[in-house]
Amino acid sequence: MATAKKPVRKKTTAGKNTLRVSLQTGWTYDPAPESKSVARIDKRYELFINGKWEAPLSKKYFDTINPATEEKLSEVAEAGVADVDKAVTAAGQAYEKTWKKMPARERAKYIFRIARMIQEKARELAVIETLDGGKPIRESRDFDVPTAANHFFYYAGWADKLEYAFPNRKTEPLGVAGQIIPWNFPLLMAAWKIAPALATGNTVVLKPAETTPLTALKLAEIIREADLPPGVVNIITGAGATGASLVQHPGVSKIAFTGSTEIGKLIQQSTAGTSKKLTLELGGKAANIIFEDAPLDQAVEGVINGIFFNQGHVCCAGSRLYVQESVAKEVIRKLKDRMASLIVGDPLDKNTDIGAINSRQQLDTIRKYISIGKKEGAEFYESDCRLPGKGFFCKPTLFSQVAQSSRIAQEEIFGPVLAILTFRTDDEVIEKANNTPYGLSAGVWTDKGSKIFNMTKRIRAGVIWANTFNKFDPSSPFGGFKESGYGREGGLHGLLPYVKLIS
Ligand code: NAP
Ligand code: MG
């Protein structure tokens, strides 16, 4: 509850002395932590292969920690080459014997069941997502988990209607889909991958990221409880080498990868010359563009959401802000004011706006880019908040006076760091916005519809939001241009990468 009193420091479960105070108003917020008691996390997780929990043939395990406290949450099996082979073989047999032959309406029932069970376990999934990955509970509760359930609902609906998705064409599934996902939206990315694959009749081997395996393993529990035929979905944990063996396995017909452009390129090389179908959802450096006629307070809120949502661990984060010169001063002042009121700290606290950075390694990367920005001569500003004593945290940061050629305007930082540039004309901002190797998303803030149409036509990005940012819906396709990858996930378009069109 907000009470008007002098700024004070309060202890939170994430660490000592988090300053939970709005510097603008002087209000403090009492801690409102979500209870951990709802989350059942086992001490150890095996591999989910052929409907069973199997100890890894590699005999290896690794720890997953809570990045907000650096405490170990669980240990998780590391799938070696033989384990990957076992999972792909199970998926191949399930495809041939069961899933491919099952009437589509029956497949749909399983997918609907998974969606409903995600909803039933939403609270537990949200808490585990926050514990394992560091994102604020508000996001995992209000965005990640419900959107994951919605993806299963949406694709369940398509399963027996593929003839309407591809009119006058016949489709066939591809076989075993190998799916590799990153750590920024662990459950949601699993849903984006698994739901369309199952709806189109494929079976799956999914590898979550090393730092955030727990919600995918919880999803395995759900899949088991939903009585999905054994082997239709297999979830194998591990690090990069596990992903690489999955990509190279000859029994896999399709690879769906979400992650960095660097690894995407390696995967592209390793699948070249094979018949494997490939979709790549890679990095981004989105331009968020504010014109002088935009509703500025709304735009500032959109920019804040665009870059600080999920600690900036978002491929489509609005990490470059282009402001029309005439309103630049005002926008920067408003941004700084708003940044001062953001609460950074315990991700389980319902008041928290910015949670923990996912790993020490990612925090080091962000710090490296902050020092690059300073060296490049941009004007540095960070919010005046106090960070918890333990865990991986980063203050919301902005750089103004950034040059188009500077590394912080060109390279993906994947953290809460905003680069601000200015422009005078439409043509200038279009040229600047398009001048990166990426093309995943962008945002346009203006009062004029004609300007929106001009921008959306000429900016080379897969998703362009107008007078809003970071909005997702299962029925809307998502994907990139240029080095942000190819193929689309979500919507009708998201079915195509999982089917052969045979007539
Ligand atoms: P990453 O290092 O590329 O890892 C992504 C996944 O690939 C992880 O599961 C990773 O395993 C695995 N992997 C690592 N090396 C591999 C290899 N040689 N072969 C096969 N798989 C391998 O990316 P990240 O750092 O986790 O995620 C951040 C990146 O993802 C950012 O660039 C972001 O923009 C991008 N992203 C894009 C989208 C999109 O839709 N376009 C969405 C979300 C994120 P380990 O984690 O265990 O190493
Ligand atoms: Mg973790």
Side-chain angles (χ1 to χ4, degrees), residues 26-193:
W27 288 4
T28 60
Y29 289 84
D30 287 338
E34 176 63 88
S35 165
K36 278 193 262 190
S37 63
V38 64
R40 192 179 53 75
I41 299 177
D42 294 346
K43 282 208 163 99
R44 174 183 267 200
Y45 284 92
E46 311 292 357
L47 304 169
F48 184 66
I49 298 177
N50 211 17
K52 296 190 289 274
W53 294 103
E54 298 268 8
L57 299 168
S58 72
K59 299 195 165 49
K60 290 188 193 155
Y61 292 84
F62 61 93
D63 291 347
T64 184
I65 64 159
N66 176 350
T69 59
E70 301 173 57
E71 285 160 3
K72 174 175 168 178
L73 292 167
S74 180
E75 63 181 24
V76 174
E78 183 179 330
V81 177
D83 297 297
V84 172
D85 181 53
K86 206 166 136 183
V88 175
T89 305
Q93 286 172 355
Y95 174 71
E96 293 297 341
K97 289 191 190 146
T98 328
W99 202 241
K100 169 169 109 166
K101 295 182 188 157
M102 189 181 283
R105 63 177 185 282
E106 296 301 317
R107 280 204 313 266
K109 287 182 193 166
Y110 286 105
I111 309 170
F112 275 124
R113 200 178 294 165
I114 294 169
R116 283 195 301 269
M117 289 172 73
I118 291 175
Q119 286 183 323
E120 281 159 21
K121 292 178 193 277
R123 196 152 160 235
E124 182 184 17
L125 287 166
V127 171
I128 295 178
E129 199 70 306
T130 284
L131 288 171
D132 202 17
K135 66 173 62 196
I137 187 71
R138 231 176 34 212
E139 276 168 29
S140 34
R141 183 195 62 193
D142 299 346
F143 177 70
D144 293 60
V145 177
T147 317
N150 286 347
H151 269 268
F152 279 101
F153 276 123
Y154 176 78
Y155 281 111
W158 273 121
D160 61 352
K161 300 175 198 70
L162 294 179
E163 73 255 43
Y164 299 102
F166 304 102
N168 306 317
R169 305 295 298 269
K170 278 215 158 66
T171 62
E172 258 181 17
L174 302 172
V176 178
Q179 306 183 322
I180 299 168
I181 56 173
W183 41 260
N184 55 348
F185 294 94
L187 181 70
L188 183 57
M189 289 296 121
W192 276 29
K193 298 268 180 294

Side-chain angles (χ1 to χ4, degrees), residues 62 180-185 189 192-193 207-211 238-245 247 257-264 266-267 280-284 313-316 362 412 414 438 440 478-480 484 489:
F62 61 93
I180 299 168
I181 56 173
W183 41 260
N184 55 348
F185 294 94
M189 289 296 121
W192 276 29
K193 298 268 180 294
K207 190 204 90 70
E210 191 181 354
T211 56
T242 308
S245 329
V247 171
F257 173 79
T258 298
S260 59
T261 296
E262 183 194 348
I263 304 292
L266 288 178
I267 292 177
L280 297 173
E281 300 279 3
L282 309 175
H313 296 339
V314 185
C315 49
C316 50
Q362 187 57 27
E412 187 182 43
F414 224 56
Y438 297 111
L440 192 57
F478 185 86
S484 292
E489 288 187 317

